[in-house]
Structures are given as C-alpha cells and as structure tokens.
Amino acid sequence: MLDAGDLVHPDRRRLVAPLFRTVTVTGLFLDGPHPVSPATMKDVNSIVVLTGAGISAESGVATFRGPDGLWEGHRVEDVCTPEAFVRNAALVQRFYDERRARLAEVKPNPAHLALARLDREWPGQLLIVTQNVDDLHERAGARRLLHMHGELTSAWCLACDGRFRWHQPLGDGPACPECGVAGKMRPDIVWFGEIPYGMAEIEAAVEEADLFISIGTSGAVYPAAGLVRLARHMGARTLELNLDPSEGSHLFDESRLGRAGELVPAFVDELLGSANAA
Ligand code: OAD
C-alpha cells in the first residue's frame, strides 16, 4: 500500500505560489469598464475561456463551495490535499471513486455544448482552460481544452510516475497498467499545495488573448483566479458569466449574471455572429 513518503511526486511538492506572477493593476482601470459588446468584439482573434464548477452545475455536478462551505459534505482539507491522502488514503480514494462513478450519470449541458461549438467554429486562436475535473467539456466535443486541476478519468502511478486514462475505482489498490505495482495509484487531481497543470501554456495563451471569458467560477482559488488580472494587464477584454458576482467581479470589463446554460449559448451566438459579420 501507499507509504507516506511517496504520496506526492517530488516535482509537485512545491507549494503553489499565491499568484504565478504579481501584476500591479492599480491605475489600469481608471478609464472605466469597456462592455464586451459585438462592436468591441470585431477585432477579437485570440480567446481564452476559463471555466469552473458553475458550468457543470446544471448537469447535476455539485459546485465546490456550497452554502455550507462543504464539497459534497466534506471539508476541502479532508479530501483535497496531499496531507489528507497521507492521513486517510481510503477516505480520499473513496471520495474520488464516487465522483468518478457519478460521471456516468451526468451529461453535458447547453453551456458545454456551446463552448464545443465555439471550439469547432471559431476561426482564431482558442484555449478552454477548465478547473473542473469532470469530463463534460470533452464529452460535449471540445478539443482545444486544458484541465488545469487534473481529471477524474486519469490516474497517476506513484511507483513509475505514469499517468493513464482511468474509469474504474482506485480504492481497492489496482495494479498499474504500466509497471504492474499494485496500490500506488492516486487520482490525477491537483490538490491544494500542488502545482496546476499547463501553467506555461495557459499563461502564454492569456498573454496573447484579445478576449478572456470566465464562466462559473467563484474566483477563490489561485492561480486560476489571477488570470483575469494578467489578461487585463495585457490588454484583453474581460467578461464574466456567473450566477453570482465572484470575488473578482470588479476586475472584469463586464459581468453577466445568470445560469451558464442560458448565458453561454447566447454569448457564443454573439461571438460567432460577430466573426461571421467581420
Ligand atoms: P466554486 O464552487 O468555488 O464556484 C462555483 C461558481 O459557480 C460560484 O461563483 C457560483 O455562483 C457559480 N454557479 C453556480 N451555479 C451556476 C450556474 N448554473 N451557472 C453559472 N454559474 C453558476 O467552484 P470553482 O470556482 O470552480 O480545486 O472552484 C475552484 C477550485 O476550487 C476547484 O477547481 C477545486 C476547488 O477546490 C481543486 O479541487 C484543486
């Protein structure tokens, strides 16, 4: 079974920096917000979309920060940290095994489908960065996609450092398909204190972006929550689509409040309409 010493690969022991880059934004917003209207979208080529738990809410996947502050009845510290895994690997494996099994019962909603359509039809650059560990974006058909917090459908072998597509439970300590060692696989999920995936690619895309769109995220977890600052600093238009104002709402040129299943298809229509009109 797992030893405390090899639960986290050394590459991922470093603590997540509070922000991958400190961008001083004071003074940048003095000229007020610029609504992201079709007129202002004419020059858009490069887009980054950041999604969070809110985009999957209407599919029936629980968001992280419920009214009780718990994620599916658990404190984050009990299921989303390497320390929790050291303390109680069985609990953590069971928790993610349940989440993985639940994927079979949920399906993409109109917001996922609209982003997949954007991916198919947008002629310019696009990167969809999701904090979600579910597979609803790819099941909807999105391809230009990066899972910065890992995936429920991936397992990570701590014996050989391999990562594999995985749809079965991990709690019963299966053997690694690559090295054959049993009981060393953990969910390939980025826990608090670990480095998110793809930060160099994400940062490069945000620096290039003309438009940065944040959908269904509370803006409470860095470095994802800091991407809007970088986007603004580099001159991108910034738009938030969320049910409630997020912690970073004031950083966006425009916030549209409502359900992702309605807001996202409408905005994708606008975007593709402006691209076709150009
Ligand atoms: P949160 O649960 O913190 O926030 C979800 C956001 O979605 C909230 O702002 C809600 O208002 C909004 N929301 C809920 N239903 C919605 C709907 N139908 N349409 C639009 N918006 C809706 O989730 P995240 O911000 O994704 O990290 O959380 C970020 C990270 O914290 C997660 O990736 C996870 C978590 O701990 C890890 O596990 C590493």
Side-chain angles (χ1 to χ4, degrees), residues 60-80:
V61 181
T63 57
F64 293 96
R65 282 160 200 82
D68 51 6
L70 301 178
W71 182 21
E72 300 269 15
H74 292 274
R75 295 184 318 149
V76 162
E77 306 86 292
D78 292 337
V79 288
C80 300

Side-chain angles (χ1 to χ4, degrees), residues 52-54 58 64-65 131 149 190 192 216-218 221 242-244 260:
E58 290 157 65
F64 293 96
R65 282 160 200 82
Q131 299 169 84
H149 289 169
V190 178
F192 285 91
T217 173
S218 60
V221 173
N242 209 42
L243 194 59
D244 314 297

Side-chain angles (χ1 to χ4, degrees), residues 138-179:
E138 48 269 59
R139 278 164 56 196
R143 294 290 171 267
R144 291 182 271 180
L145 173 71
L146 197 157
H147 278 274
M148 69 181 293
H149 289 169
E151 299 170 67
L152 281 169
T153 52
S154 178
W156 177 17
C157 175
L158 298 169
C160 71
D161 200 28
R163 289 175 170 80
F164 313 98
R165 289 285 112 210
W166 199 263
H167 299 277
Q168 304 307 316
L170 288 171
D172 48 3
C176 169
E178 188 68 27
C179 69

Side-chain angles (χ1 to χ4, degrees), residues 1-9 76-97 100 156-158 170-171 173 183-189 191-192 194:
M1 288 306 288
L2 290 158
D3 301 314
D6 57 9
L7 294 172
V8 185
H9 190 265
V76 162
E77 306 86 292
D78 292 337
V79 288
C80 300
T81 64
E83 294 79 12
F85 198 48
V86 173
R87 268 197 314 272
N88 193 344
L91 170 73
V92 174
Q93 295 282 26
R94 193 165 57 244
F95 179 77
Y96 287 99
D97 282 351
R100 193 180 305 102
W156 177 17
C157 175
L158 298 169
L170 288 171
K184 293 286 187 186
M185 304 238 276
R186 60 164 263 189
D188 193 6
I189 304 280
W191 287 326
F192 285 91
E194 298 179 330

